[in-house]
Amino acid sequence: MLRRRTVTTACALAIGVITLMAAPTTAEADTGTTDAATTGSSVTGSSVTAIKPPPGMLDAMQRDLGLSADQAQARLLNESRAAAVESKLRKRLRDAFAGSWVTGDTSSTLVIATTDASEASAISASGARPQVVGRTLASLTAAKEALDRAAASAAPKSTPIWYIDVRTNSVVVLTSQPAEAEAFIAASGVDKSAVRVEQSAEQPRVLYDARGGDAYYINSSARCSIGFSVTRGGQGGFVSAGHCGNAGDSTAGFNRVAQGTFQASSFPTNDYSWVALNSSWTPQPWVNNGSGGNVTVSGSTVAVEGASICRSGSTTGWHCGTVQQRNTSVTYAEGTVYEVTRTNVCAEPGDSGGSFISGSQAQGVTSGGSGNCTSGGTTYFQPVNEILSVYGLTLVTSGGNPPPTGCSGYQQTFSGSLTSGASAYQPNGSYYQSTVSGTHSGCLDGPDSVDFDLYLQKWNGSTWVNVASGTSSGPDETVTYSGTAGYYRYRVHAYSGSGSYTMGLSKP
């Protein structure tokens, strides 16, 4: 089924002179490369290899750096080149090296700072821009280390940050009280001419992750376990058991650091609650698997009776069993709780509120039960979907992709199979011609547990170049490209894994 989609579009290359291009032959070899003109990259030469970025990186770069898809790809390529050039020049300059940095939206310019003006021409010849400065990186490092040594006794709370700034060839000290910072600098014995004080209100704090199954403390006394991370509007939080706390109660995390406040709670009749986190905590789509790792939550599809299910809690860790019966009523000393699910998973005090999960699907939060994890027992959980619905919460997951839809609605569909590392070309091992400008759309539906990618390629008169691609870490992709008339084909590539696929395409 179609599970994940990533869309990467490239702009059509504007050509000033229209020429008649020779049609490609079906035997034409695929270069496997992307034309720098279609990506906007300034990188040239065979020494730079385009490495597939991690899933979501290009999308995040576009969002957070204000880049287009082409600019994000070009930036990564330029930065890869810059790292190689910088390494060579650092070795050449030795003690005269004074730092390096890249500039521009696509990191198109590499600047190399040096104290040796005679090296400027060599730096330029390497494709970098030289900048002659007065202090070496080694001397700046020594100044910063002097501040580090003085910090144990002399650094005031108003002065929490200092760093080497190679762009200004100085050590920068950030402070809300310049006079206190000046005293700190003097006490360190550092050369004052190398240090620059900047006014700043920045007060760093340690950040923590909220994770299913981890402990939290209520009003500095009772302990329960986190169920699942959630959000409501822009507020992050987590769900847990209702008997763990009441609205207004404060919580502290596994490390006893202030964490949040109960927003709502219901017990008995129900056994659920939700806690809003403070800014020191980040809700994550994870459940503690009891062995130092995480199970990633991808949804909340209800498991059928008899299905395997596992529970994570702060007392007994990770234990598994099966779903016995849904829609169960259970009576505790405090009253009856309705519509919980009965399981043969064990639990003990302190596990309350912890995560029940089947595969990657969130199921519910631990309510109560009988027995223990030595002799075995029965445990009930409050279904998570009811909690989300009642409080208007959204489960934090690793998803964000549209639900499965398949490759329906396309003009043509094709099928095939691939082994890991292999490629196939569609339509039918050949190409198609578009006589007008317009939108090309492609869809790839691959088998589960593989990473298949989809590339739209255009003939440039001598070779095929990639003009659009879908390269997520999953089996399914879509691409959309607005292009001019010409010859096109799709390359289906098995990045990892093997199996059958279906591909759909539409053309202008």
Side-chain angles (χ1 to χ4, degrees):
M1 296 297 293
L2 186 66
R3 300 182 303 154
R4 303 188 63 183
R5 293 171 177 260
T6 296
V7 180
T8 306
T9 59
C11 299
L13 176 63
I15 303 176
V17 179
I18 300 175
T19 59
L20 179 64
M21 297 185 296
T25 64
T26 56
E28 176 66 35
D30 174 31
T31 64
T33 61
T34 301
D35 188 342
T38 65
T39 63
S41 171
S42 64
V43 177
T44 59
S46 59
S47 62
V48 179
T49 301
I51 299 174
K52 182 178 179 180
M57 175 178 283
L58 291 176
D59 290 340
M61 290 174 67
Q62 293 173 65
R63 179 195 66 210
D64 298 335
L65 298 179
L67 305 175
S68 68
D70 290 351
Q71 288 175 320
Q73 292 174 351
R75 184 174 181 124
L76 291 176
L77 287 169
N78 286 334
E79 288 168 354
S80 176
R81 172 185 175 276
V85 173
E86 192 263 9
S87 178
K88 292 179 180 178
L89 289 173
R90 180 189 288 260
K91 292 178 181 177
R92 176 188 174 93
L93 295 173
R94 297 181 179 274
D95 293 343
F97 181 73
S100 62
W101 60 95
V102 291
T103 65
D105 288 343
T106 60
S107 298
S108 57
T109 301
L110 169 65
V111 182
I112 300 292
T114 181
T115 56
D116 187 350
S118 67
E119 292 286 356
S121 59
I123 294 172
S124 296
S126 296
R129 190 179 77 196
Q131 182 160 316
V132 180
V133 296
R135 301 181 186 88
T136 65
L137 182 60
S139 67
L140 293 175
T141 300
K144 191 261 184 183
E145 289 175 347
L147 295 175
D148 291 345
R149 290 190 294 271
S153 58
K157 292 183 178 180
S158 63
T159 307
I161 303 161
W162 50 94
Y163 54 82
I164 296 171
D165 183 9
V166 293
R167 293 172 179 82
T168 62
N169 196 230
S170 63
V171 175
V172 175
V173 175
L174 301 184
T175 181
S176 59
Q177 299 293 330
E180 293 182 359
E182 295 288 357
F184 165 53
I185 294 167
S188 72
V190 70
D191 177 4
K192 290 184 179 181
S193 67
V195 182
R196 183 161 51 88
V197 175
E198 289 188 3
Q199 184 95 20
S200 171
E202 186 175 346
Q203 287 293 328
R205 66 184 187 281
V206 177
L207 302 177
Y208 307 98
D209 291 323
R211 176 179 64 168
D214 284 353
Y216 71 95
Y217 296 87
I218 304 94
N219 294 333
S220 302
S221 56
R223 172 172 57 86
C224 276
S225 302
I226 293 174
F228 296 96
S229 293
V230 297
T231 60
R232 188 166 79 173
Q235 175 64 58
F238 63 84
V239 294
S240 190
H243 70 262
C244 288
N246 300 311
D249 287 347
S250 63
T251 70
F254 65 91
N255 49 10
R256 299 285 187 163
V257 172
Q259 181 190 63
T261 306
F262 277 86
Q263 301 300 295
S265 178
S266 178
F267 179 77
T269 303
N270 305 295
D271 195 4
Y272 49 62
S273 61
W274 86 279
V275 172
L277 296 166
N278 63 34
S279 59
S280 294
W281 293 80
T282 301
Q284 298 288 3
W286 304 328
V287 171
N288 186 338
N289 70 1
S291 59
N294 299 315
V295 174
T296 300
V297 179
S298 62
S300 58
T301 301
V302 177
V304 299
E305 292 187 17
S308 58
I309 194 167
C310 297
R311 179 198 54 73
S312 182
S314 60
T315 298
T316 60
W318 184 256
H319 288 274
C320 300
T322 60
V323 176
Q324 302 292 289
Q325 292 86 25
R326 296 199 296 267
N327 195 11
T328 301
S329 297
V330 58
T331 301
Y332 304 117
E334 296 84 355
T336 301
V337 176
Y338 304 93
E339 298 182 358
V340 293
T341 299
R342 185 172 185 264
T343 75
N344 61 1
V345 185
C346 71
E348 296 181 10
D351 289 329
S352 290
S355 323
F356 266 90
I357 189 167
S358 182
S360 65
Q361 301 297 309
Q363 299 298 311
V365 301
T366 303
S367 174
S370 58
N372 55 51
C373 288
T374 299
S375 60
T378 299
T379 305
Y380 302 88
F381 68 80
Q382 176 76 61
V384 70
N385 286 334
E386 180 182 353
I387 311 174
L388 301 176
S389 176
V390 168
Y391 293 137
L393 305 170
T394 299
L395 187 68
V396 176
T397 70
S398 62
N401 300 294
T405 58
C407 289
S408 59
Y410 288 80
Q411 293 172 352
Q412 296 176 278
T413 57
F414 308 90
S415 60
S417 62
L418 289 172
T419 57
S420 182
S423 293
Y425 299 91
Q426 299 291 356
N428 299 318
S430 186
Y431 58 88
Y432 64 91
Q433 182 179 14
S434 175
T435 58
V436 297
S437 297
T439 301
H440 301 253
S441 300
C443 170
L444 174 63
D445 186 351
D448 290 345
S449 303
V450 303
D451 182 356
F452 281 10
D453 296 328
L454 183 63
Y455 300 85
L456 176 62
Q457 300 181 327
K458 185 177 182 182
W459 183 252
N460 71 358
S462 59
T463 190
W464 292 100
V465 294
N466 297 330
V467 293
S469 62
T471 56
S472 78
S473 61
D476 312 311
E477 310 291 350
T478 60
V479 296
T480 302
Y481 175 72
S482 180
T484 56
Y487 296 97
Y488 293 86
R489 72 178 184 182
Y490 284 92
R491 176 190 176 210
V492 184
H493 177 62
Y495 186 78
S496 65
S498 305
S500 300
Y501 67 88
T502 299
M503 201 228 125
L505 71 84
S506 295
K507 56 189 178 182

